[in-house]
Amino acid sequence: MTVNRKAIIFGIKGYKLSKSEKKLFEKTKPWGVILFSRNIKNILQLKLLISEIKKIFNDKYYPILIDEEGGRVSRLNKFIDNSIFSGNYFGNLFHKNKSKFYEYNYVYTKQISYLLYLLGININTVPILDIRRKKSNNVIGDRSYSSNKRIISEVGNSVIKNFHASKIATVIKHLPGHGLSKVDSHFRLPRINKTYSYLKKNDFAVFKNKSSIFAMTGHL
């Protein structure tokens, strides 16, 4: 079935689709839907919601996105606890013991991918490729793998590879780099004052040559 979809991703208000949301989807045919904590009550409710969304488009592969980073950004935290598995956790593990990192990260992404597949979610907005700075706003903080761009790049490659192997698409973020922000971009617009040559060598560099199909821009 060929559907003329607009290149836009919508969110929804609650645990189930309202009549007005259904009409909006049928009329505008957005490219995908992203789910947030406000949409998630339990496993059964979430599966029903996703199934309802996909039925509107008659497409079992319809793009359903979620922010399941681990650590403090976990939309599925009402029924799983992966709070210890922050970006910082995996970055530190990579720094201390690469072989253990590859083993642990493989098992972790495999389990998350399996849960996403069961729910009907096919795109996870990871990995975070922002370079962590001590004096920057905590909006990134321990969500970042490291302050070392090489570690970030290699961990990011592993995360992308593992999710793709389990048929879950990834979204690198927050292009072109949110690590230097002094304010939380959810509330104010950060202004980055570094030179282009510095950014090209550092914050921009970690996003290069990644195999992720998608990327999320930062509000900077």
Side-chain angles (χ1 to χ4, degrees), residues 11-200:
I12 60 175
K13 188 175 182 179
Y15 295 142
K16 59 183 181 179
L17 291 175
S18 65
K19 290 181 179 179
S20 61
E21 286 171 334
K22 289 180 183 178
K23 288 180 180 179
L24 180 65
F25 284 4
E26 290 167 355
K27 180 180 178 181
T28 61
K29 296 180 173 61
W31 183 85
V33 171
I34 185 166
L35 301 173
F36 295 99
S37 298
R38 65 176 181 267
N39 308 127
I40 300 167
K41 188 176 184 180
N42 55 54
I43 291 176
L44 178 59
Q45 167 270 325
L46 185 53
K47 288 183 72 172
L48 289 173
L49 172 60
I50 292 170
S51 178
E52 187 178 15
I53 292 169
K54 290 182 177 182
K55 281 180 182 177
I56 292 174
F57 301 96
N58 191 27
D59 183 358
K60 65 180 180 179
Y61 301 114
Y62 182 76
I64 304 292
L65 298 84
I66 198 166
D67 297 314
E68 191 53 42
E69 298 175 11
R72 58 188 163 107
V73 179
S74 172
R75 308 303 186 199
L76 304 178
N77 62 8
K78 289 176 182 172
F79 45 83
I80 64 168
D81 181 5
N82 59 354
S83 56
I84 70 166
F85 297 113
S86 64
N88 184 59
Y89 171 88
F90 283 113
N92 284 339
L93 188 60
F94 182 92
H95 178 69
K96 294 174 183 176
N97 189 324
K98 285 187 183 180
S99 61
K100 186 174 285 188
F101 160 77
Y102 285 116
E103 179 184 352
Y104 281 27
N105 191 249
Y106 174 79
V107 172
Y108 172 77
T109 52
K110 197 78 174 175
Q111 293 299 314
I112 295 297
S113 296
Y114 180 69
L115 177 58
L116 296 179
Y117 173 80
L118 286 180
L119 293 167
I121 297 166
N122 44 29
I123 305 176
N124 192 13
T125 67
V126 293
I128 284 190
L129 302 179
D130 304 301
I131 300 174
R132 184 168 66 247
R133 267 77 170 204
K134 288 182 179 179
K135 294 183 180 180
S136 296
N137 188 276
N138 198 42
V139 65
I140 299 300
D142 64 358
R143 296 167 66 194
S144 170
Y145 298 122
S146 178
S147 57
N148 183 308
K149 62 185 179 183
R150 182 188 63 81
I151 291 176
I152 294 171
S153 186
E154 293 193 39
V155 171
N157 286 336
S158 179
V159 169
I160 293 167
K161 178 183 176 182
N162 290 338
F163 274 113
H164 285 187
S166 295
K167 309 298 183 185
I168 302 295
T170 56
V171 184
I172 56 176
K173 61 186 185 185
H174 304 85
L175 191 74
H178 208 306
L180 286 165
S181 60
K182 301 295 184 184
V183 297
D184 187 336
S185 59
H186 294 93
F187 305 104
R188 291 173 58 197
L189 180 65
R191 298 187 180 276
I192 307 302
N193 298 315
K194 292 289 186 179
T195 64
Y196 174 72
S197 59
Y198 174 89
L199 292 170
K200 185 178 179 181

